[in-house]
Amino acid sequence: MPALPPPRFAWRAVLIGWLLATVFSGVPSTVWALATGGDPWEATRAAGRMLLPKAQALPVLFAAAAVVHGSLSTFWALVCAYALPTRHTAPWALALITAVGLCNLLVVAPRAFPDVAALAFWPQMADHWAWGALMALGLAWGSRVSPQPPAPAAPQATPR
């Protein structure tokens, strides 16, 4: 099996982007729920039921949601590390995550995750956009503090 090429971003940048996106991408739907008198834990319960569909206890669902969200974020952070360009990263990250969000919310959730499908569309789409923006921010910031090491120079012929 051939070796995987190196990612386009330093691993430190990918980790920073993943951490920002994973921890803070739920803010839009949570703020929306609080502003409209909704249940701020509804999306967390829905994500937890992706792993444990019959669970009811919030602590159990919170832990399951952390596993689900962390795992999905890891997958998409790796996709970003290899697929996003190093220039104009933010618009490309938002385009990618828009496609992911539309697929997740309009195709996958209605077929496989009824609790997620029952959530309001726009707050969940806003969470996806926040994830993409935060990932791009982390990649940009992480690349400034930890630039990708230069590629090894090609061997030069020695004059005779």
Side-chain angles (χ1 to χ4, degrees):
M1 176 180 243
L4 208 60
R8 295 180 181 192
F9 296 90
W11 286 116
R12 178 184 175 118
V14 175
L15 179 62
I16 291 168
W18 172 85
L19 189 61
L20 284 173
T22 302
V23 172
F24 297 110
S25 63
V27 168
S29 65
T30 303
V31 168
W32 178 258
L34 292 170
T36 60
D39 178 4
W41 294 104
E42 181 183 26
T44 302
R45 281 195 278 282
R49 287 193 182 110
M50 291 172 71
L51 186 61
L52 301 172
K54 299 204 185 302
Q56 294 297 321
L58 183 58
V60 171
L61 288 169
F62 183 86
V67 170
V68 168
H69 186 61
S71 299
L72 290 172
S73 288
T74 299
F75 173 78
W76 287 114
L78 291 172
V79 169
C80 289
Y82 284 92
L84 292 179
T86 55
R87 294 186 53 192
H88 308 294
T89 304
W92 284 104
L94 289 171
L96 170 68
I97 212 63
T98 297
V100 169
L102 291 172
C103 183
N104 287 347
L105 298 172
L106 298 177
V107 178
V108 177
R111 287 165 177 74
F113 305 110
D115 289 343
V116 175
L119 298 170
F121 175 82
W122 289 112
Q124 293 307 306
M125 196 66 216
D127 285 355
H128 280 78
W129 288 325
W131 192 97
L134 290 162
M135 184 70 197
L137 177 71
L139 289 172
W141 185 76
S143 294
R144 282 194 199 101
V145 296
S146 175
Q148 184 76 307
Q156 296 183 355
T158 54
R160 292 185 192 207

